[in-house]
Amino acid sequence: MCGIVGYVGSQESAGILVDGLRKLEYRGYDSAGVAVHDGKQLQVVRAVGKLKNLASVLQESPLKGTTGLGHTRWATHGRPSEENAHPHVAGGVAVVHNGIIENHLELKAELASGGIEFSSDTDTEIVAHLIHRALKDSERLLDAVRVALRQIRGAYALAVLSESEPGQLVVARNASPLVLGVGDGESLCASDIPALLEHTRDVIFLEDGELAQLSADGIKIETLEGESVTREPKRINWSPMQAEKGGFKHFMLKEIFDQPRAVEDTLRGRLDLENGDVVPREMGIDEAAAKQIKRVCLLACGTSYHACLAGRYWMEQLARVPAHAELASEVRYREPVFGPEDLVIAVSQSGETADTLAAMKSAKEAGARVISVVNVLESAIPRAADGTLYTHAGPEIGVASTKCYTAQLVALLMLSVYLGRRRGTLSADKGRDVLQALVEVPEKIRITLESKDKVFEVARRYQHVQHMLFLGRGLGFPTALEGALKLKEISYAHAEGYAAGEMKHGPIALIDEDMPVAVVMPRDSQYEKTLSNLQEVRARDGQVIAIVSAGDPESAKIAEHVLEVPVAPDVVQPLLTVVPLQLLAYYIADLKGTDIDQPRNLAKTVTVE
Ligand code: M6R
């Protein structure tokens, strides 16, 4: 949670900071602030609410100065307010922070006993006071920050600016993301790459336990113990446009339409169609290990968990290995039993989700082999995993995940084929069929997207909906859950996803003429049974929106609304059927006028429990 950005160079920094924060607003938007050094002193401006509030204050009273730092906040300690907004300042030291200082209460008590008064309820302000105190006995800001860091416990990405040392920033990282930008006569830092791309494509990923000093002359990295670190920058190939809206009204819509490309990029270079196989590179598990595993456990939260539910089907079907999908937030406190014969797969868009990270670490400690499926390069989860299959969906800015979900499905299906081939449970012919079906998915998503106007008409009909049910069987069940989650996240309507076979065990009591029911029922092996559920809903006057395979003759006779996806093999259906449901949620939310890219109370990266 929270976004950090910092700039030091020869340009005016305030505008650069605000532009950078705009790219990070998905990380939190309860308040925003900047601190700029004008060569003589620090100037700090903060505003509650979205970044635009800060931007308009800065427009009326611009700040001058070529060194600065900025922050967009997702509140953890202290309510959203101007006092709790970052940067926090203590005696000429300004600090922005992403993460949680776990021992803040004891540190606060200790500082208070020395006569220090606090102006906020945040854990971050304590860090500013600790650095200010340490500066009295330190030659460099970097050393003072190091002294302060030795006293704190918890997760942090920090950027610090001191009145006494203009022209430099000090940053540090432990378990929260921080990327450094290497520019020409300028240096930058940010919580995520898109905030840097306007200025540089050369980035350095700071590691846990490292600090860095940023100036116009370059970047110096040291460990917490004081050892100097040399690390070459990595070149990022995304264009800045890939992180922009590209003419769409919202990032979410752009990302829904970006799915064919996201799937293609995630497949690229990884398929061996001739042998019906997936190339071993990056899979994080070799043939011997693939044969030894007795159980697969897929761990994730939210949308990524829904991808895991589909992954479970594929692992069982193709690799014939017992598999289960688990909510990471539940696993971590359940004293689960993991061991060396388990393959644990942590799935995450951000790669920073606290629960997923903690659950996978506990599995690893118990001896399980842990691999990850992650979108954000070099984030915490891949760093902690034995291997990672990156989804190449590109930056996802909309808080509601769409293209990363489909890319996760692709990765999990590839992994299932890979395991099946190595375990001898999937022949080359069958493997080829699955992979060929995957290759055809991007075009089929493109075709599905062409029916957006039809989805819009359905959305118009249900724009005032208060409750909606989503039903699906087999591989349609994760899609039903995901359709419901998308609708609640962005339209704030109450939505429930159910396994269609469960309907008679309770939810059928809800069905009446006011209850729209989206039924995921492509022509797969479960079609006949789901069709019966559809009839049961209609018999009780429920209004059915059926997601079907093109040309389905039965559903058209019964359902009020039919949204088609191209005919495709069962195994890839989840990659197609989710698309109309993403669009349906999007259009309902847009017609309602909600804040689609930044829905209330949510954040893109959930680095706290
Ligand atoms: O970054 P992750 O995939 O680990 O995030 C997990 C969830 O927080 C995330 O999927 C969340 O449910 C999204 N808002 C869904 O749209």
Side-chain angles (χ1 to χ4, degrees), residues 246-293:
F248 287 90
K249 186 169 176 190
H250 294 97
F251 279 112
M252 182 181 175
L253 190 60
K254 180 197 169 210
E255 287 156 4
I256 291 172
F257 276 80
D258 198 21
Q259 290 181 106
R261 200 265 326 138
V263 171
E264 273 158 6
D265 283 357
T266 303
L267 289 174
R268 181 160 295 125
R270 287 167 162 168
L271 304 187
D272 173 2
L273 277 175
E274 203 181 317
N275 293 306
D277 203 354
V278 174
V279 296
R281 198 181 63 233
E282 312 171 274
M283 289 296 145
I285 174 163
D286 62 18
E287 177 145 3
K291 282 185 174 139
Q292 270 163 18
I293 52 169

Side-chain angles (χ1 to χ4, degrees), residues 205-231:
F205 295 96
L206 204 63
E207 299 276 344
D208 286 349
E210 289 179 349
L211 301 92
Q213 181 179 302
L214 278 59
S215 70
D217 298 331
I219 294 174
K220 285 185 198 143
I221 304 177
E222 291 184 10
T223 63
L224 208 48
E225 291 71 41
E227 282 163 32
S228 160
V229 175
T230 311
R231 185 167 306 133

Side-chain angles (χ1 to χ4, degrees), residues 63 122 125 239 254 271 312 359 391 433 450-451 481 544 577:
L63 296 183
T122 66
E125 190 186 349
S239 70
K254 180 197 169 210
L271 304 187
R312 179 185 67 175
T391 50
D433 289 347
E450 279 167 15
S451 55
L481 291 174
V544 174
T577 49

Side-chain angles (χ1 to χ4, degrees), residues 22 25 49-57:
R22 205 163 275 132
E25 219 185 350
K50 295 206 164 181
L51 185 63
K52 62 179 191 240
N53 300 347
L54 175 73
S56 61
V57 178

Side-chain angles (χ1 to χ4, degrees), residues 301-304 347-351 353 399-401 408 485-486 489 604 606:
C301 301
T303 285
S304 301
V347 181
S348 173
Q349 183 287 127
S350 60
T353 300
V399 165
S401 185
Q408 286 168 347
L485 179 62
K486 287 289 89 79
E489 279 190 295
K604 185 75 183 159
V606 185

Side-chain angles (χ1 to χ4, degrees), residues 396-422:
E396 190 178 65
I397 311 295
V399 165
S401 185
T402 52
K403 65 176 179 175
C404 286
Y405 175 65
T406 42
Q408 286 168 347
L409 293 175
V410 170
L412 291 173
L413 185 48
M414 283 195 294
L415 259 172
S416 307
V417 169
Y418 177 83
L419 291 179
R421 295 290 288 122
R422 265 132 214 93

Side-chain angles (χ1 to χ4, degrees), residues 569-588:
D570 290 13
V571 74
V572 295
Q573 288 294 347
L575 284 148
L576 304 176
T577 49
V578 75
V579 175
L581 296 182
Q582 293 168 337
L583 285 170
L584 184 67
Y586 172 81
Y587 286 128
I588 289 177

